[in-house]
Amino acid sequence: MTPAADRLEDLGLDRYVDRELSWLAFNQRVLELGEDHSVPLLERANFLAIFPSNLDEWFMVRVAGLKRRIDLGLAVPTPAGVPPAAELAQIRALAHELQQRHARVWRDDLEPKLAAEGIRILQWDDVDESSRKHLHSVFTTEIFPVLMPLAVDPAHPFPYISGLSLNLSVRVRNPQTGRVEFARLKVPPVLPRLYPLRAPDGQHWFILLEDLIAQHLDELFPGMEVIDFHAFRITRNEDVNIEEDETEDLLQALEQELLRRRFGPPIRLEVSDDMDAETLSLLKDELDITDTEVTVLPGPLDLTALFALSGIKRPDLKFATHVPVTAPEFRPSEGADPTDLFSAIAERDVLVQHPYESFSTSVQAFISQAASDPNVLAIKQTLYRTSGDSPIIASLIKAAEAGKQVLALVEIKARFDEQNNIVWARKLEKAGVHVVYGLVGLKTHCKLLQVIRREDGQLRIYNHVGTGNYHPKTSRIYEDMGLFTCAPEVSTDVTRLFNQLSGYAIERDFTRLLVAPLHLRKGLLDLIEGERQAALAGKPSRVRIKVNSMIDEEIIDALYAASRAGVVVEVFVRGICGLRPGVPNMSETMKVRSVVGRYLEHSRVFSFLNGGDEQVYIGSADMMHRNLDRRIEALVRLTEPEHVQRCQRMFDLVMSGEVASWHLDSDANWHRVAHGDDGQPLAELHDVIMNDYVRRARPQAIR
């Protein structure tokens, strides 16, 4: 840390924003889009589905981890100095408040507006007799055989309740003995949550699966009197903790840990607000849940069900369609054969940005061509997350079966994709791909692809260094960048990094890459310090950073030190942010902006004015301890002026206030700015950049 950064400690720990509160603020921004009347109705429903999905994962990992550390006596105060127990109480209270707000938005605002458009989720009382008969037939043939009611009595212990499952608590009375019994009924996740109903032309009516089941409980408990039923749902600690050593079989260890994950302790109980006290008391006792871990909500629970509405064909209730364009460098001439991507990359570096530019005609086509090309000798790739039907995997298998050398570095510890990655790792191994799992104790998060090709009797190496996963499906909604290059210095860097990942090499020198954990932190701190020194000397200076998360204290303090010296510091962050911009004598020259919208901002970009010789890097690393110290990450420097300009254009739009965004103030509060000084709505960043790429892709733009 620089001496100037050291002096920041005199300003106190409140210069850091609590990580969990900042994450909740991010999810609140998602919720605000669900509340926004200017957003199309079905897109609002999608944001209302994303909000609880995000919250589920946060509880399973972050809240569960904090609670576990407190229970074990291992928790320490946050970087902002908040005691662990106080932090847990504070974030639970805020999460509960946001969940209540989320439920009200659905019940009081969005549900009635959708109904007015003919999209209705009906209550049983609203279903006519003809539809009830049809639903009875559906229940009998499609649902009843799948249901498994479980009694709870002295002969039947309380059953295991799986995490995130939706359940019905049912109380029934035996008319012969008068005894009241309790049963648990799991709502089967293998069935659609929203069952379609017959509706007038052009309308879409549904009923919730749990409501349909509830109306037929007498068929599940014949001879018994159904007294009442209520929905409930639990969240369990599902974080994975793997201790590695050089001799451990990581696949087997992870499979065992995934099995343990299913039985993690409950850390949240969600119940409908009509649940009686007796049933709630039973659930709390059996699940060992405290009052503070209970969330009482108006029904329905688990509004991730709203994801199903995205399949409704109502373009008038959705964002206007954006069709990804093919990067001009990869577009064939009119009437010509498909572009030879190798020739295009050999001519000059190519920067692509998804989903504005097509993943299938760039990354996917590149791997496919490499797999089929007889001149390609070897392919190396890192795989962090990919889809179950991935054409990327298919191409690697095809290449291996064709006799090419293929190396796949599969990160099987990618959270919540572990099981999927285990399956693909084994499939790749069976096809003859050399599968490795990275370095002991370090998760491999960098996005690298290398192709070695014989050309004119010599080898030429082609590389792709990206910011996002090699995942065809998420590439349609995640904003990411990737650089294709055969520049010798990048080829050497990437080759050395792959050797480090698959063998015993310890590389310390890279030319155009910054690599974590050995070099990246120091490299960024040196670049920030260079801007600080320029400002102190009265020279122009600027730092621009775009990341998903900004919470590393050393990086934060370096940015504060730069700001104190007069450096213009601009941070474009999607999610968590520990910065406090605009604080006198600490961050007066700092701006922090966030954009949440139709695409998930995911690229990481780092820009330094560097005395006029601008240095811009893109890559996989967020500004978090885990990325800088416990992961293999890679940033690559962009050297083409046009690529640098495209990155600066994105920063210019967000920082200038030309597009709608959230602004962070010195009290760590986010404010949405969606209208200009004239009161007119501001443009959306994703629309503006999409239009940029459409113009760029026109034939006259091809060089």
Side-chain angles (χ1 to χ4, degrees), residues 527 606-610 612-617 637-638 644 648:
L527 288 164
F606 304 82
S607 171
F608 307 90
L609 198 56
N610 194 40
D613 179 22
E614 196 131 25
Q615 291 203 34
V616 175
Y617 291 83
R637 184 182 176 188
L638 305 181
V644 171
Q648 301 304 351

Side-chain angles (χ1 to χ4, degrees), residues 59-134:
F59 266 99
M60 287 190 294
V61 177
R62 299 299 307 174
V63 178
L66 177 57
K67 182 176 183 294
R68 183 176 65 247
R69 292 193 300 275
I70 291 172
D71 292 343
L72 295 174
L74 300 176
V76 297
T78 70
V82 180
E87 182 189 27
L88 183 59
Q90 188 177 15
I91 62 178
R92 279 192 180 279
L94 181 54
H96 184 264
E97 178 184 320
L98 289 174
Q99 284 184 277
Q100 295 287 346
R101 176 173 160 183
H102 174 260
R104 288 194 301 270
V105 173
W106 168 249
R107 181 191 59 205
D108 300 337
D109 183 12
L110 187 55
E111 185 178 25
K113 284 184 169 62
L114 286 171
E117 293 288 345
I119 301 170
R120 302 178 62 193
I121 299 178
L122 299 180
Q123 303 293 320
W124 185 256
D125 291 344
D126 299 323
V127 178
D128 61 35
E129 190 60 34
S130 173
S131 294
R132 288 186 181 190
K133 290 180 180 178
H134 170 69

Side-chain angles (χ1 to χ4, degrees), residues 325-329 331-334 693-703:
V325 299
T326 295
E329 297 87 347
R331 290 181 62 190
S333 302
E334 189 173 349
Y693 276 98
V694 169
R695 287 191 294 271
R696 181 175 177 270
R698 288 172 183 157
Q700 62 265 30
I702 299 177
R703 288 166 290 177

Side-chain angles (χ1 to χ4, degrees), residues 40-50 106 110 114 306 309:
L41 287 178
L42 287 176
E43 303 293 352
R44 289 181 62 191
N46 198 52
F47 286 118
L48 287 190
I50 293 170
W106 168 249
L110 187 55
L114 286 171
L306 298 178
L309 299 182

Side-chain angles (χ1 to χ4, degrees), residues 92 122 219 252 294 368 522 542 666:
R92 279 192 180 279
L122 299 180
E219 298 188 32
Q252 290 183 0
V294 176
S368 177
K522 182 179 183 304
R542 186 180 65 195
S666 58

